[in-house]
Amino acid sequence: MFYSYQSNQLEILIEQLAGVLRQPLRAPLAREIVITQSNGMARWLALRLAERLGVCANLAFQFPATFLWEMSRAVLRQVPPTSAFDKSVLVWRVMALLRELEDTPRFESLNVYLGDGGDDFRRHELACRIADGFDQYLVYRPDWIEKWEAGEADHWQAELWRRLVRTGAAHRVRVQAQFRKVLRDGDFDCRRLPERVAVIGVAALPPLYLDLLAELARHVDLHLFVLNPCQEYWGDIRAERDLARLGEETDPEDAYLTVGNPLLASLGKQGRDFIDLLQAYPRAEWDGFAEPDGETLLHRLQADILHLRERGGEDCPSLPLLPDDHSLQIHACHGPMREVEVLHDRLLALFAARRDLKPSDVIVMAPDIAVYGPLIEAVFDSVPRERRIPFSVADQGAPVENPLVEIFFELLDLGGGRHDAAQVLGLLEPPAVRRRFGLAEDDLDHIRHWVRGAGIRWGIDAGIKSTWDLPATAEHTWRAGLDRLLLGYALPGNGRELYDGILPYDEVEGGEARAWDACRVSPKRCSAWMPVCASAGRWRLGWRCCAACWSNFSSPATARKTNCN
């Protein structure tokens, strides 16, 4: 059964969802499935449900695409867990195809962009953009996909897609077409499907997804919670600029189009189309709209949108603005950093004026959280304790939310690069890396000082410089610097004594040397380890841990061969 709930307040929808979840499922250990559009919304829903139900457990929050793929696997059985057309996989498949483009008019634009041979960085960038486009086509343009596979188009996108599907791998359009057919025929075991599904916090769904959910509602209880700012029918409203663009070419049948509320018409297009599309599906409806209670500018604006009216006319005159009304504010700032600073100041003022307001009642939205996330952390974390506002930044992506992923990407960036000293030392800053090598935060200052003093700037060794069309000299490379540091720990150079042409760096000594020994590749140490130096054609540095253990090495690679415990 398909149930829909509409309200202009998300809190009312949460109450309805809590009421649905209070009804137990037939299987006592079955998980409730809640579909939402972001991890941040899922976290907020979990907190609000816990307040109303006392506990929020055994709920599975999923994204719409993930949920529909899992349902397809449950019904069709032969669908793989991961599609070869997932965006992360599709990037590399497209990149492989870009290496094999023939010199034909069809691919002329791609070949011109890639240049002669094309470098891998540019090819990867282009593959990412093409994969992103194909991923959008699978959701919003399934008709294009079907036409391309039928050979009805001859441009480069269609040809690339046909080459991608030659492997026979399943993609969303094919799988969902089969999924819809099986749901309509009913030729499957309904026990594979969940008993109940709730969709909430989703601003809009593509027509294909909504169609599949409606088919699924024939076999499960589907509860769709829609945040609708207007209780009137507003499917016919259009923004003033859209009506002006139509001009004299407006079809007489479109004469009913109107502006309604200009703010809703200009900013609510996506929600308008989604709610209008929803009217075509049979369902049980519930509406719970709440009248804004207040005389502030924000309350009046919400009321005008709710009743689809425009201020300023004879039927709805403008109202005077109260002098102390700060319910709606617009700040012009010279940059994102200043925007965050003003936000912090305004939040402090709100908390001071309203003692009942809690940080958990505030949500801040940004157009690009990747840009604003670090700035928010810098501003909100740098204030004194008495003025600190508890906060968390959601939906920043895996590299930001999981620092280990970012470290992994930084390690990948080292390959084939210059190995700049600052870049390499930056890998020691994350706490996880310091814990792995037993380094304290103060040890990083010692290591940076040693690297600068030993003259390490860039390059692994002399050979790597030739790849940059530079003389193959060892000066200022990591190999030369490590030689100086290791020799300086074993023998005093006093700033002038050379050993086999190497000037020891004398400042690595005493207990501080443990930091250097921890961060480089070296044999495991026992309680009696000591450095030993010998010269036989060239110098070698060994670590004698005890009488039964001895290892000589001149590079980190040979250090791994020790049997020292």
Side-chain angles (χ1 to χ4, degrees):
M1 185 65 182
F2 195 173
Y3 303 90
S4 70
Y5 308 78
Q6 294 190 43
S7 177
N8 60 328
Q9 294 185 9
L10 192 56
E11 291 78 5
I12 296 177
L13 296 178
I14 288 290
E15 290 289 351
Q16 294 300 314
L17 175 59
V20 171
L21 298 182
R22 286 190 181 98
Q23 304 298 321
L25 299 174
R26 289 190 296 267
L29 298 181
R31 302 182 70 184
E32 293 277 5
I33 296 180
V34 179
I35 301 175
T36 186
Q37 65 180 3
S38 66
N39 291 323
M41 177 59 71
R43 176 64 176 168
W44 186 86
L45 288 171
L47 293 174
R48 300 291 82 80
L49 290 174
E51 292 176 354
R52 289 160 173 80
L53 302 176
V55 64
C56 180
N58 206 27
L59 263 70
F61 290 99
Q62 297 184 4
F63 297 153
T66 303
F67 169 75
L68 290 175
W69 187 263
E70 291 299 323
M71 293 301 97
S72 301
R73 294 188 62 226
V75 171
L76 302 178
R77 307 295 285 178
Q78 75 274 15
V79 177
T82 303
S83 172
F85 290 85
D86 282 351
K87 185 177 176 181
S88 57
V89 180
L90 194 58
V91 169
W92 301 106
R93 297 183 62 200
V94 172
M95 187 173 177
L97 290 178
L98 293 178
R99 296 178 183 274
E100 304 169 357
L101 296 180
E102 55 268 21
D103 188 13
T104 60
R106 178 189 297 164
F107 297 116
E108 181 180 1
S109 58
L110 296 181
N111 289 325
V112 169
Y113 178 81
L114 294 174
D116 295 335
D119 61 86
D120 288 337
F121 292 104
R122 174 168 289 197
R123 187 179 292 109
H124 181 264
E125 180 186 24
L126 179 60
C128 289
R129 299 186 64 178
I130 294 175
D132 182 68
F134 284 162
D135 186 66
Q136 297 294 319
Y137 297 156
L138 287 170
V139 177
Y140 296 100
R141 291 291 184 267
D143 53 328
W144 289 7
I145 298 297
E146 293 172 353
K147 290 180 179 179
W148 292 353
E149 294 183 10
E152 297 184 14
D154 194 39
H155 50 77
W156 65 264
Q157 289 192 70
E159 180 59 26
L160 277 181
W161 182 260
R162 284 191 285 267
R163 296 184 183 187
L164 287 170
V165 299
R166 284 175 184 171
T167 60
H171 57 72
R172 245 175 280 173
V173 174
R174 287 181 181 175
V175 170
Q176 290 169 354
Q178 298 174 15
F179 181 44
R180 185 188 300 108
K181 182 178 184 304
V182 174
L183 288 177
R184 288 178 178 174
D185 297 340
D187 187 18
F188 68 98
D189 187 357
C190 291
R191 292 175 297 179
R192 300 173 187 169
L193 299 177
E195 179 183 344
R196 182 167 62 205
V197 178
V199 183
I200 187 171
V202 177
L205 288 170
L208 177 61
Y209 286 6
L210 188 57
D211 188 41
L212 288 173
L213 289 175
E215 292 291 343
L216 191 63
R218 297 183 179 184
H219 307 277
V220 304
D221 287 338
L222 179 67
H223 300 266
L224 176 62
F225 299 85
V226 180
L227 186 63
N228 187 351
C230 182
Q231 66 180 5
E232 309 295 337
Y233 175 74
W234 53 294
D236 296 335
I237 69 172
R238 294 293 185 273
E240 293 180 352
R241 61 178 179 271
D242 294 336
L243 293 180
R245 190 180 300 115
L246 292 175
E248 298 179 356
E249 299 178 0
T250 303
D251 193 310
E253 296 183 358
D254 294 339
Y256 60 86
L257 296 177
T258 181
V259 175
N261 182 278
L263 189 62
L264 185 63
S266 60
L267 301 180
K269 181 178 179 180
Q270 186 181 38
R272 178 200 69 199
D273 294 342
F274 172 60
I275 294 173
D276 196 37
L277 182 65
L278 189 61
Q279 309 304 318
Y281 297 92
R283 66 200 188 285
E285 298 183 67
W286 180 93
D287 295 338
F289 295 92
E291 189 74 26
D293 184 17
E295 295 297 327
T296 64
L297 175 61
L298 179 61
H299 289 133
R300 292 172 181 173
L301 184 61
Q302 291 173 336
D304 290 344
I305 292 176
L306 179 64
H307 297 289
L308 196 61
R309 62 193 179 200
E310 180 180 0
R311 291 281 175 184
E314 295 181 359
D315 299 334
C316 189
S318 301
L319 298 175
L321 183 64
L322 301 177
D324 59 344
D325 188 352
H326 302 292
S327 59
L328 183 62
Q329 303 178 33
I330 298 176
H331 297 269
C333 304
H334 61 264
M337 186 65 174
R338 184 56 184 163
E339 292 177 14
V340 177
E341 292 172 346
V342 172
L343 167 67
H344 186 265
D345 292 341
R346 297 312 305 156
L347 288 178
L348 289 175
L350 282 174
F351 289 129
R354 297 182 54 182
R355 296 297 180 180
D356 59 330
L357 187 64
K358 299 178 294 184
S360 58
D361 298 328
V362 178
I363 181 171
V364 177
M365 304 183 70
D368 188 355
I369 198 61
V371 174
Y372 286 89
L375 302 179
I376 292 173
E377 293 179 353
V379 172
F380 281 65
D381 266 341
S382 61
V383 298
R385 183 180 183 86
E386 60 273 11
R387 292 195 290 118
R388 191 181 190 279
I389 302 174
F391 75 97
S392 64
V393 183
D395 299 321
Q396 295 189 87
V400 178
E401 295 180 357
N402 189 342
L404 295 181
V405 175
E406 184 67 21
I407 297 170
F408 176 72
F409 287 140
E410 290 179 4
L411 285 172
L412 293 180
D413 289 339
L414 284 177
R418 291 168 56 93
H419 290 81
D420 292 333
Q423 183 184 19
V424 175
L425 292 178
L427 295 174
L428 298 177
E429 295 180 358
V433 176
R434 295 204 306 268
R435 287 194 302 268
R436 168 63 181 84
F437 293 104
L439 293 171
E441 190 169 355
D442 294 340
D443 293 335
L444 297 183
D445 294 332
H446 296 308
I447 295 173
R448 294 190 186 98
H449 177 70
W450 293 333
V451 169
R452 286 194 300 268
I456 301 174
R457 297 297 180 264
W458 71 278
I460 298 177
D461 52 24
I464 199 67
K465 290 187 175 183
S466 59
T467 62
W468 300 86
D469 296 328
L470 296 172
T473 57
E475 285 77 8
H476 305 299
T477 65
W478 283 96
R479 180 68 270 157
L482 289 174
D483 288 347
R484 289 193 61 196
L485 290 165
L486 292 170
L487 185 59
Y489 187 74
L491 294 173
N494 298 321
R496 60 180 182 276
E497 299 288 343
L498 298 179
Y499 295 90
D500 200 16
I502 299 174
L503 177 65
Y505 183 75
D506 295 336
E507 296 189 31
V508 183
E509 59 184 3
E512 295 178 353
R514 293 181 180 274
W516 180 259
D517 190 57
C519 69
R520 67 179 181 83
V521 182
S522 64
K524 298 179 180 179
R525 303 177 299 277
C526 69
S527 57
W529 69 269
M530 62 176 295
V532 180
C533 183
S535 178
R538 60 166 298 176
W539 72 272
R540 292 182 178 180
L541 180 63
W543 297 95
R544 183 167 62 187
C545 296
C546 55
C549 177
W550 172 262
S551 172
N552 289 328
F553 63 92
S554 58
S555 68
T558 56
R560 300 190 185 98
K561 299 178 181 178
T562 180
N563 294 321
C564 181
N565 295 318

